[in-house]
Amino acid sequence: MDSFKAEKFYGNQKNSITPNIDSLIQNGCYFTQAISSADGTILSWSSIFTGKYPFKTGIRSSRFNKLNKDTTTYFEVLQKQGYNFYAYLPVLSETVGLFPDFQNDDCFYDFFLGISNGLGDKMLKKLDHNQMKEPWFFLVHAMDLHPPIVVPQEFDNEKFGTNYYEKKVSTVDTWIGKIHNRLDLEKIILVITADHGSYVQSALTDDKQIETNPNAALQIAASKMASKAPKALQPLKDKLFFMREKISDQMKREAIKNLNLLPHEKRAILAGRADKDHFLFDDKLRIPLLFVGKNIPKTSIIKSQVRTVDILPTISELIGTNIIENTDGQSLVPLMEGKSLQELPIYLESNPLVIKKSNDVIGIRTSDFKYFRDKDDASKRIHLYDLSKDPFEDFNISETNPHKVAEMEDLLQTIIRETPQIENKENDEESEEIARELRKLGYL
Amino acid sequence: MNLIFITIDGARVDRIVNGKNYKKIIKNSALFSRVIAYAPYTIAAMHALFSGTYGTKTGVNSYWSNVNFKKDKYKTLAKYLQDEGYVTHGDVINKLVLPPIGFDNLVIHDELNDNLTERHITLLDKFNNISKEGKKFFLYLHYSNIHTGIMQEVLKKYDNFSKEYFENRQKNEQFYDDLFEEADEYLGTIMGYIEKLGLNKDTLIVVVSDHGISVGEKFGERAYGVFCYDYTLTSTVIFSHQNIPTVHIESQVRSIDVLPTILEMLKIKTDTNYERFQGDSLIPFTENKGIPKIAFSQSGNPLKTGKPPKEPNVWAVRTDEWKFIKNTHDGTEELYSLINDPSEENNVISNFPQKASELRTELDRISSDI
C-alpha cells in the first residue's frame, strides 16, 4: 500500500474504522516499528525486493539508473523454485528493471489506481476465478493512500476518521476485508506493507481540525490530462507542475500563518511534492509490516525496530527458499517465534527529485535516535532526534550532542564502507530502447 | 554492377526448395542450401552476415547487443559498397537488425501495416532511375511478413512450453506454409519486376534467408532463437546474375562466407584498414573446388524467463557429418550424427567421446578467438 503510515494502520493515533486490518493483526505478526530505507517508491522497492540498501542496487530513480545486473532479486530466487508471477503495479515499474515478466497482461496500470477504485475488483476476479497457476507470487501495489487522495462520498463522514487520510484508510479496510475473504490463509502467506509513509496535511489545533488537502479529484484530472500530452511538451508540463506546487504552498502558508502548530504538524501541512530540500522524518519512513497466514505464528505485536531489507529474508525462511547471499537484511522469524534478535541500525536515504536537482540526505536510525545530514557533505544540514523522548522529531538536538552525531556518523560510514557503491556500467537509456524494439518484434 | 540484396526473414530451406517462385529463381542461380547461420535469429545472424565475422568478435552475440557492434574494426557490406561510390539504401523490419553504418538511408518499415511488395516495387523504380543516371546502387530489401505472422500467432499466443502448440504440429506446418506462400509470391513479384525493368542485367541479386523457424520440432522452442538445431540454424543464399553458374551446393557453408563472396563477385578488394573477416568466398564451390569448413553458432535460450539472455548460452559447431552443442546454462553437451540422424533426435555423445572431444576443442578454439 503506497504511502501507508504505520501509525494509521495500528495504534493509538489511528481513528479510522479498520475491523479487517485489526483482525489480520490479531491473527498474525505485526511489526510496529518497521522502517523503510527510503522515502520514495523506487528506492524503497529496490530495497524490499533485493534485501539490500538502495545505494547498493544500482537503482536511483524512475528516470535514472536501473537495477545493477549483478544484483539478485527475490523474483529470480522464486523463479528458480517454479513460482509464477502476477502483479498489479503502477506503470512506472517498467522502467527500473527490478521486476520479472508477469503472467497477466494487465499487470501495469495507470498511476492512480487503488484497491478501492478498481484494483480491488481486479484482484477479486483473479482470486475468485482461480486464474493464477500455483505456486504463485501475487504482487499488488495500490495507490489509494498516495496523494492526491479522494475520499468516496460514503466514507466522507467523521465517524470514519478525523481527516481525509484516515477516512481513506477506513475505505481501504473494507477492501482488505473483501480480499482477505478470498484468501486461504492456511495455504498462503499474506504480507501487507508500504513502500514509505506520508505527510498528512491535517492538524488538530484549538479543538479545530484543519486540513489543507487540495481538491484531489481536480489534481488527478490535471495529472491525467498532462500524462496524455506529447513528450515534446514535457518541459512545459514540468513547469506547470512546479507552478501548481508553488501556488499550493502559498495557500497552505496563508492557511496556517496564525496557528500555533508544532514543528511536525507544520512540516506535514507544508510538505509538497516539489520541495527541493529533502528530510528523513518518520512520517515518511515508518510503515506497517504485517505477516499473516501459513507458518506465521499468531504472536501479534512486535515492537523492535525492523527494516524493509528484512522482509525478503523473512519470506525466504517462511517458505523455505534459498536465502540470497550478501543481503543487508536478516530473517525476522526468530522475533515472530518470541526469540530475541539483535536490533540493527537502518540506513536511510531520501529519494531524489526527478525533474530538478534536490538537496538530498542520508542517515541512520536506531530505536533511540535518528540522524541524517546532507548526502554529499557530512557537515551540512545535520539533524539528530532523540526518538525515545521526542517521537515526533520536533527538536533537532544535533548542535548540543556532537558526540552522538559523531557516533551516528560512524555507524553510517560503516554501512557505506561495507560495500563499495556499484557502478552501473550499462547505458540504461540504450538498454531501454533495445527492450522497446525487442518488444515490438514480439521477443519480450 | 549494382547489388540488390533481399532477405526473406525466417524462410525454411525445406520450403524454399519447393517454393513455386523460388524454384524459378533457383533454376538460373547458384543456390547454397545449407548455409549455417551464426545465430538462429535475425539480429545476430544479420550482423555476422554483413560483417563476415562471428558475433564473438564483432560484439553482436545476443538480441541485446547490436549497439556493441565494433564498426571501427569490422567493415560491413554496406560500408564497402558506400566506399566504392554506391548509393546505399535499406528497408528493414527494425533498427536492431542491421549495422546502420554504410547506409545512406536505412528506413524502418511497419511490418504490421505496410504492403511490402508495393513498397519495394516503388524502391525498385526509384533505384532504376538512379541506375539510369549512371550511378551504382545497393538496395537492401527485408521481407518481414513471415516474422509478422509468427509474432502475432505464435510468439504472442504461446510460450516455449505451451503444450497446445507442440501438440498441433500439423496446424503449425499449415500456418507456416501459408506464410511462406505469401513470401514466395512476394519474391516472385519482386524478381519479375527487376526483370521487367531490365535491372537484372547489371545487378547482382542475392536472396538470403537469415534463419529457419520451428514448426514444433522440439519442445522448448516455439519459433527460433532458443536452440541450435538445424531447423533454425540452416539458412540459404541464392546468387543470381547471368555470369554466375547455375549450381546447387548442398555442402555446408557459413553465413559469414556471404560477404567475401559478394565482394569477390563485385570485384571489391578487402579493406586492410579493418580486421579481416572470418568468412571465405564461396566462389570455389561454384567451380566444384570448395572445401567445407566447420561452422560455429550461438543462441540465447531464454529458459523460463520469457526474455532472451544478454549473453549466448547455447554454443554449437557443425560439420557436414556432425553437430556438437554445449549448453552453458546447464553444463550439458550434445552430439548428433547428422548423416544418420538429420533431425537431431539422438544425442550420441556417450557413444562417440573422441568425436565429441575433437569438436569441443574446435568450439573452444573458435569461441576463444575474440
Side-chain angles (χ1 to χ4, degrees):
Chain A
M1 298 295 309
D2 196 300
S3 309
F4 211 142
K5 287 167 72 72
E7 60 267 37
K8 300 298 179 190
F9 192 91
Y10 170 85
N12 58 16
Q13 289 179 56
K14 174 179 78 77
N15 300 299
S16 315
I17 297 179
T18 57
N20 296 298
I21 291 174
D22 300 346
S23 160
L24 284 169
I25 289 173
Q26 279 167 16
N27 286 291
C29 290
Y30 181 67
F31 293 87
T32 62
Q33 201 181 176
I35 307 296
S36 175
S37 258
D39 62 349
T41 302
I42 302 282
L43 291 190
S44 178
W45 275 346
S46 77
S47 169
I48 291 173
F49 298 115
T50 64
K52 288 185 175 183
Y53 288 133
F55 75 94
K56 298 180 185 179
T57 66
I59 293 176
R60 304 308 304 151
S61 85
S62 60
R63 282 197 210 171
F64 301 150
N65 300 14
K66 286 203 267 186
L67 185 74
N68 191 289
K69 61 181 176 183
D70 301 327
T71 303
T72 307
T73 69
Y74 194 45
F75 303 109
E76 291 166 66
V77 174
L78 289 178
Q79 195 145 39
K80 285 184 186 153
Q81 304 278 325
Y83 273 76
N84 300 289
F85 301 109
Y86 301 85
Y88 289 116
L89 295 171
V91 71
L92 66 95
S93 330
E94 273 191 296
T95 59
V96 292
L98 187 61
F99 297 105
D101 287 331
F102 295 108
Q103 304 215 358
N104 54 320
D105 290 339
D106 58 345
C107 55
F108 299 118
Y109 64 78
D110 180 20
F111 190 70
F112 298 101
L113 216 54
I115 57 171
S116 60
N117 68 337
L119 215 49
D121 280 325
K122 282 171 176 268
M123 291 173 70
L124 294 182
K125 205 171 151 197
K126 274 240 157 342
L127 294 164
D128 277 349
H129 294 89
N130 210 13
Q131 287 179 1
M132 297 185 287
K133 206 160 81 182
E134 291 187 3
W136 47 256
F137 183 117
F138 190 15
L139 175 65
V140 179
H141 188 100
M143 304 298 287
D144 303 80
L145 294 167
H146 188 288
I149 294 174
V150 182
V151 178
Q153 208 175 358
E154 62 269 35
F155 286 88
D156 198 4
N157 182 309
E158 60 187 32
K159 75 175 179 186
F160 291 111
T162 56
N163 57 46
Y164 68 97
Y165 188 95
E166 290 183 339
K167 289 170 191 167
K168 192 69 185 236
V169 170
S170 297
T171 317
V172 164
D173 181 79
T174 62
W175 278 95
I176 288 179
K178 288 180 197 175
I179 294 156
H180 176 197
N181 288 339
R182 306 303 206 282
L183 301 174
D184 179 359
L185 291 177
E186 295 293 315
K187 279 175 69 183
I188 70 151
I189 292 169
L190 170 67
V191 182
I192 301 180
T193 187
D195 47 356
H196 53 77
S198 184
Y199 286 115
V200 178
Q201 298 184 334
S202 164
L204 185 65
T205 171
D206 302 329
D207 290 334
K208 192 178 149 204
Q209 190 74 30
I210 60 145
E211 259 184 36
T212 58
N213 183 35
N215 188 327
L218 195 68
Q219 277 194 52
I220 290 175
S223 299
K224 280 188 174 171
M225 206 185 296
S227 71
K228 284 178 186 154
K231 207 175 172 184
L233 295 180
Q234 186 67 44
L236 182 65
K237 280 159 58 184
D238 293 346
K239 206 171 172 183
L240 283 172
F241 168 73
F242 281 105
M243 270 173 62
R244 221 170 49 218
E245 286 292 314
K246 196 174 172 187
I247 294 166
S248 162
D249 183 65
Q250 284 165 354
M251 286 166 64
K252 287 190 284 189
R253 285 183 190 280
E254 185 62 29
I256 65 165
K257 70 179 180 189
N258 297 320
L259 301 177
N260 190 20
L261 297 174
L262 287 165
H264 74 274
E265 293 170 325
K266 197 172 168 184
R267 73 172 173 251
I269 283 177
L270 292 179
R273 287 163 62 204
D275 292 347
K276 241 175 102 179
D277 287 333
H278 288 179
F279 302 93
L280 284 166
F281 293 112
D282 270 9
D283 306 65
K284 288 293 293 277
L285 299 175
R286 199 160 168 167
I287 54 170
L289 179 58
L290 171 69
F291 291 85
V292 58
K294 190 180 178 186
N295 299 339
I296 317 280
K298 294 179 183 176
T299 45
S300 215
I301 305 301
I302 297 162
K303 291 181 179 168
S304 312
Q305 170 178 289
V306 298
R307 309 162 299 165
T308 39
V309 289
D310 299 327
I311 296 174
L312 186 153
T314 307
I315 297 176
S316 292
E317 184 167 351
L318 288 170
I319 67 175
T321 59
N322 293 334
I323 291 175
I324 300 174
E325 286 176 7
N326 303 322
T327 62
D328 293 306
Q330 59 180 352
S331 168
L332 304 176
V333 170
L335 287 176
M336 292 176 174
E337 292 169 343
K339 297 174 190 161
S340 64
L341 187 68
Q342 189 192 359
E343 189 179 287
L344 297 170
I346 174 166
Y347 168 86
L348 311 168
E349 66 178 286
S350 64
N351 211 72
L353 268 183
V354 172
I355 304 168
K356 61 183 183 184
K357 192 181 178 322
S358 46
N359 299 320
D360 284 287
V361 282
I362 55 175
I364 281 284
R365 188 191 192 279
T366 66
S367 278
D368 299 325
F369 285 93
K370 162 86 65 71
Y371 163 74
F372 58 87
R373 48 87 168 168
D374 184 89
K375 181 174 161 284
D376 303 314
D377 188 339
S379 67
K380 287 183 184 161
R381 302 182 64 219
I382 302 170
H383 288 246
L384 180 72
Y385 299 93
D386 183 342
L387 299 176
S388 57
K389 294 178 187 154
D390 175 25
F392 294 109
E393 299 164 289
D394 281 330
F395 309 105
N396 180 357
I397 57 168
S398 61
E399 285 191 14
T400 51
N401 291 273
H403 294 298
K404 193 69 195 173
V405 167
E407 186 189 311
M408 296 296 273
E409 178 67 24
D410 274 352
L411 277 178
L412 180 62
Q413 288 299 331
T414 308
I415 290 175
I416 293 172
R417 275 197 303 263
E418 263 173 16
T419 309
Q421 200 157 339
I422 302 159
E423 193 190 335
N424 201 331
K425 285 177 188 159
E426 273 190 67
N427 183 329
D428 293 307
E429 274 182 25
E430 209 164 65
S431 190
E432 184 53 36
E433 193 183 344
I434 294 169
R436 249 193 331 267
E437 295 300 322
L438 292 177
R439 212 167 280 129
K440 273 192 225 165
L441 290 167
Y443 300 139
L444 296 182
Chain B
M1 190 153 54
N2 305 308
L3 173 64
I4 296 177
F5 190 118
I6 302 170
T7 297
I8 307 292
D9 191 330
R12 289 173 60 110
V13 63
D14 52 359
R15 268 55 169 190
I16 285 172
V17 293
N18 293 308
K20 185 179 75 181
N21 291 299
Y22 258 110
K23 280 203 283 191
K24 285 184 199 163
I25 302 161
I26 291 167
K27 211 164 62 179
N28 297 307
S29 310
L31 163 68
F32 290 80
S33 61
R34 201 175 298 283
V35 181
I36 305 306
Y38 159 64
Y41 56 94
T42 306
I43 296 169
M46 290 308 293
H47 277 79
L49 190 149
F50 255 58
S51 60
T53 305
Y54 294 132
T56 41
K57 284 170 92 79
T58 67
V60 186
N61 62 356
S62 76
Y63 278 89
W64 300 86
S65 52
N66 71 307
V67 290
N68 299 339
F69 183 73
K70 295 172 186 163
K71 64 178 191 304
D72 299 329
K73 274 181 127 176
Y74 298 99
K75 189 163 180 173
T76 65
L77 174 61
K79 181 73 175 141
Y80 265 109
L81 296 173
Q82 190 179 52
D83 286 356
E84 288 291 316
Y86 282 62
V87 177
T88 58
H89 184 102
D91 189 71
V92 287
I93 176 179
N94 185 284
K95 67 199 282 190
L96 306 181
V97 300
L98 282 184
I101 188 158
F103 280 103
D104 301 332
N105 284 301
L106 187 59
V107 182
I108 316 296
H109 60 238
D110 177 352
E111 63 169 319
L112 292 170
N113 297 307
D114 286 342
N115 180 325
L116 296 179
T117 309
E118 286 176 10
R119 188 182 169 94
H120 291 173
I121 279 179
T122 308
L123 282 172
L124 288 171
D125 280 332
K126 183 181 167 185
F127 280 86
N128 185 40
N129 290 333
I130 285 174
S131 175
K132 282 178 184 166
E133 290 167 16
K135 294 177 191 162
K136 289 183 287 184
F137 71 83
F138 164 42
L139 179 60
Y140 176 86
L141 303 174
H142 197 112
Y143 178 81
S144 51
N145 287 159
I146 296 178
H147 169 270
T148 313
I150 295 293
M151 174 176 73
Q152 301 287 68
E153 297 299 321
V154 179
L155 295 180
K156 287 190 176 172
K157 292 193 174 169
Y158 307 102
D159 64 29
N160 283 325
F161 307 97
S162 298
K163 276 190 183 167
E164 194 193 336
Y165 177 77
F166 292 97
E167 284 169 358
N168 286 289
R169 175 80 181 257
Q170 205 177 347
K171 184 182 152 200
N172 305 339
E173 298 258 9
Q174 184 57 54
F175 178 64
Y176 183 84
D177 282 339
D178 292 345
L179 293 174
F180 181 81
E181 201 174 316
E182 286 175 30
D184 187 62
E185 279 301 320
Y186 159 88
L187 189 61
T189 308
I190 294 295
M191 292 299 282
Y193 201 72
I194 291 171
E195 205 168 323
K196 187 180 159 196
L197 294 174
L199 275 172
N200 52 324
K201 293 188 186 83
D202 195 30
T203 302
L204 169 65
I205 300 163
V206 179
V207 183
V208 307
S209 69
D210 51 351
H211 58 79
I213 288 182
S214 155
V215 285
E217 283 94 338
K218 300 261 188 185
F219 187 69
E221 184 172 53
R222 71 202 189 284
Y224 50 88
V226 177
F227 302 134
C228 276
Y229 298 120
D230 272 8
Y231 60 84
T232 61
L233 270 191
T234 307
S235 64
T236 58
V237 59
I238 297 167
F239 297 98
S240 181
H241 185 263
Q242 57 200 13
N243 296 342
I244 294 172
T246 298
V247 284
H248 180 176
I249 310 296
E250 291 179 280
S251 294
Q252 165 178 303
V253 298
R254 307 161 302 175
S255 62
I256 56 169
D257 299 328
V258 174
L259 170 72
T261 310
I262 294 174
L263 294 182
E264 190 174 346
M265 287 175 174
L266 297 179
K267 299 185 172 54
I268 296 171
K269 282 185 185 159
T270 307
D271 190 337
T272 52
N273 293 316
Y274 289 79
E275 297 252 336
R276 189 176 166 82
F277 34 71
Q278 290 174 297
D280 296 298
S281 170
L282 298 174
I283 286 180
F285 282 92
T286 65
E287 297 160 351
N288 211 13
K289 294 178 196 159
I291 302 166
K293 299 190 172 70
I294 195 159
F296 172 73
S297 305
Q298 291 187 304
S299 188
N301 188 338
L303 304 168
K304 294 206 167 170
T305 67
K307 194 185 278 187
K310 296 202 170 173
E311 294 291 334
N313 58 14
V314 183
W315 306 30
V317 281
R318 188 191 192 284
T319 66
D320 273 324
E321 290 87 28
W322 296 93
K323 163 107 47 94
F324 173 78
I325 298 172
K326 184 173 169 181
N327 299 297
T328 60
H329 56 83
D330 63 4
T332 58
E333 294 179 336
E334 300 163 56
L335 182 72
Y336 297 99
S337 166
L338 300 174
I339 307 289
N340 303 319
D341 176 25
S343 51
E344 298 161 283
E345 299 289 343
N346 304 306
N347 179 2
V348 291
I349 194 148
S350 48
N351 302 347
F352 298 93
Q354 187 57 38
K355 181 53 74 180
S357 168
E358 183 190 310
L359 291 173
R360 192 183 297 113
T361 305
E362 281 299 296
L363 185 140
D364 290 343
R365 179 184 63 78
I366 297 169
S367 60
S368 60
D369 181 13
I370 50 175

